[in-house]
Amino acid sequence: MPAATNRISPLAMKPLSPSQKSVLRIRGAIAALPFLAASLFFETVIRDAGLPLGFALSPALLLAAFLILYAPPRRYRSWGYDVTEDELHVESGIWLRTRTVVPFGRVQHIDVGQGPVERRYGLGTLTLHTAGTRGSAVSLPGLELGDAERMRDEIRAQIRQDLV
């Protein structure tokens, strides 16, 4: 008889909305702005020091290209989720993969939020708050707003059903 394993069976994870890639690109551009501004400042300062033109700007442009072009598709592909009858499964992480399982029986309240960039693309973030202190809020970004609201309502209905 084979030994029992405690391994979670792999679920077919659903991807986030494709619009999330655009949101991640915009966030990457915003993150790159301070580096670009600082490099432009240093370019004007080091001109008197005799260093070549682009000494500070080139690394900042490479960082900006990484944050805007390369990182967003990788970050997008690293996310996945699945909703079962009584749990939400969320996977994320490029370097360190994290799989979080939230039993609906532990959920205390549910939020659907939107930042200004998410609002522009019709996306929302579903956040489940559970009992406890560490890791008590699990967020799932990059959902179509209607899907996030539908998931919130279905999870809320499941919780009510479990209480009866």
Side-chain angles (χ1 to χ4, degrees), residues 51-133:
L51 293 171
L53 186 65
F55 181 77
L57 188 58
S58 296
L61 287 173
L62 287 173
L63 176 65
F66 175 81
L67 292 173
I68 296 168
L69 301 174
Y70 182 73
R74 287 186 52 107
R75 290 183 63 204
Y76 171 79
R77 286 190 309 269
S78 74
W79 279 88
Y81 72 96
D82 190 40
V83 181
T84 64
E85 187 176 311
D86 56 352
E87 295 175 332
L88 172 67
H89 298 253
V90 179
E91 280 188 358
S92 65
I94 294 173
W95 297 105
L96 300 173
R97 297 287 299 159
T98 302
R99 182 172 194 170
T100 305
V101 179
V102 182
F104 295 153
R106 302 228 350 135
V107 174
Q108 292 189 341
H109 67 278
I110 309 167
D111 297 324
V112 174
Q114 282 184 305
V117 178
E118 289 176 315
R119 194 173 310 119
R120 163 76 171 86
Y121 289 95
L123 300 179
T125 298
L126 178 72
T127 304
L128 280 66
H129 299 272
T130 62
T133 55

